[in-house]
Amino acid sequence: MMESTPRPHDHVVYTEFDGREAVLVDLNTKRYYTLNETAMLVWRSLERGRTKNEIVREMTDAYDVTAEHAATSVERLLVSLAAHRLLHPDA
């Protein structure tokens, strides 16, 4: 079974500031969401079509966290992004 990869919606615009913070703007609802550094890593990875496992690996490479902690953080963020309709549902 292939792992599904959530994809950002086309109506969501990503803008980065100074490499430490970013915002997502939902053009449909005119709402915006701020992202911290780790959320930015996840969003950029989603834009590149990375799987959840690949994103967890990127996070453990970039930060001093266990794979379990990274997986929990990634999953929590994906659930939140999906709840705000910023991602396409899993395929």
Side-chain angles (χ1 to χ4, degrees):
M1 182 177 110
M2 250 184 70
E3 183 186 9
S4 62
T5 303
R7 292 172 302 130
H9 270 296
D10 294 336
H11 60 81
V12 178
V13 176
Y14 172 81
T15 305
E16 203 170 296
F17 304 101
D18 73 23
R20 295 182 177 276
E21 189 176 61
V23 294
L24 298 177
V25 179
D26 184 332
L27 298 177
N28 288 354
T29 64
K30 308 294 189 257
R31 290 191 174 159
Y32 71 95
Y33 307 87
T34 57
L35 301 181
N36 65 17
E37 214 172 317
T38 52
M40 288 167 54
L41 178 148
V42 173
W43 186 263
R44 287 194 308 258
S45 297
L46 291 172
E47 288 185 325
R48 293 194 308 269
R50 301 284 195 265
T51 65
K52 290 178 196 173
N53 287 338
E54 289 170 329
I55 296 169
V56 167
R57 208 168 16 257
E58 285 181 37
M59 195 175 282
T60 57
D61 288 347
Y63 302 100
D64 186 21
V65 295
T66 64
E68 293 77 15
H69 180 82
T72 301
S73 297
V74 169
E75 189 58 38
R76 190 178 304 130
L77 180 61
L78 293 178
V79 166
S80 178
L81 292 170
H84 290 290
R85 294 183 171 84
L86 301 174
L87 298 176
H88 287 280
D90 283 349

